Amino acid sequence: MSDTFFISDLHFGHKNILNMSPSRNILGDALEEQHVSLFYRWNSVLRKNDYVWVLGDVAMGRMAYEACIPQLRGIKRLVRGNHDVLAEEIYRKDFVKIFGVVNMELFPKCRVVLTHIPIHPQELEFRWKFNIHGHLHEKQVLIKVAKSEYTLPFLDLRYINVSCEQTDFYPLALEDLRLIAKQRLGLS
């Protein structure tokens, strides 16, 4: 069983999130119901000493942050997102480390970069095999491929979106992330 997990875009306290991400309806109609569903899903897979990388957009405002984040199990590390605008000392109460960007090895010879917002595709050509990111919620990074007189959009396999909408609102286990990467590299 994994002891490391990844998730992004919890958006606790975001009153308009249902309009932005309709898939969140499965969590409940009211914001409070969604919070309870997110707590349950998170805590059903994470134990007290598990590690979790939260790739940004934790909560909208201090009240929502302080009401929700302490209820989540695990040793939390934050890669700040565009909505993570509280003072750093507030985040330090619940996150053991706070980052802007993280480089890590997913498995031997597979370097990845953890970000909130997807990085420029050119950066993936030489430095990393994958960009593990959030920010896009229900969307994915696409690449346009020209076919004679028309252009088709295809999923850019170098990007792995861990927004909670992409992970059925559960933190994604490191083993599952490795499996996705290996499948995309043709290694399994």
Side-chain angles (χ1 to χ4, degrees):
M1 182 164 186
S2 188
D3 68 348
T4 303
F5 297 84
F6 300 81
I7 196 164
S8 182
D9 299 295
L10 298 163
H11 282 259
F12 287 115
H14 191 172
K15 294 180 177 107
N16 200 31
I17 195 66
L18 273 176
N19 295 329
M20 293 173 54
S21 295
S23 66
R24 286 183 182 248
N25 284 323
I26 67 167
L27 298 174
D29 296 326
L31 196 57
E32 293 75 22
E33 288 177 289
Q34 291 184 26
H35 292 172
V36 170
S37 293
L38 286 168
F39 299 154
Y40 172 77
R41 288 172 188 238
W42 177 296
N43 290 328
S44 71
V45 297
L46 267 100
R47 297 165 300 198
K48 179 183 173 188
N49 292 319
D50 288 340
Y51 292 93
V52 60
W53 288 94
V54 180
L55 304 188
D57 288 2
V58 177
M60 305 297 280
R62 186 172 182 166
M63 281 181 42
Y65 177 89
E66 290 177 343
C68 296
I69 303 309
Q71 296 189 50
L72 302 174
R73 288 185 193 147
I75 301 165
K76 296 176 274 303
R77 295 177 176 150
L78 175 64
V79 175
R80 287 179 88 155
N82 55 302
H83 290 295
D84 298 320
V85 296
L86 301 176
E88 192 164 315
E89 61 265 13
I90 294 170
Y91 294 113
R92 289 207 181 277
K93 293 176 190 172
D94 301 287
F95 290 91
V96 296
K97 296 258 185 172
I98 300 167
F99 303 88
V101 172
V102 175
N103 296 291
M104 68 181 288
E105 190 170 73
L106 200 54
F107 50 85
K109 298 186 181 180
C110 184
R111 303 244 7 117
V112 300
V113 60
L114 308 179
T115 62
H116 174 64
I117 297 173
I119 64 170
H120 193 281
Q122 230 175 12
E123 295 298 318
L124 293 171
E125 291 179 23
F126 305 106
R127 294 185 179 160
W128 304 287
K129 296 272 189 213
F130 296 100
N131 177 198
I132 315 303
H133 67 88
H135 188 65
L136 299 181
H137 296 271
E138 296 169 349
K139 297 180 175 132
Q140 296 282 356
V141 175
L142 301 177
I143 188 169
K144 293 182 180 179
V145 178
K147 296 284 186 185
S148 58
E149 63 271 353
Y150 56 90
T151 302
L152 295 173
F154 288 97
L155 179 64
D156 191 329
L157 298 177
R158 301 171 298 171
Y159 294 88
I160 301 174
N161 184 353
V162 296
S163 293
C164 60
E165 292 90 345
Q166 300 289 332
T167 64
D168 199 26
F169 304 95
Y170 288 91
L172 181 68
L174 176 61
E175 286 87 7
D176 294 330
L177 189 58
R178 285 179 176 146
L179 181 62
I180 292 166
K182 286 179 179 180
Q183 287 174 342
R184 291 184 180 189
L185 291 170
L187 299 176
S188 64

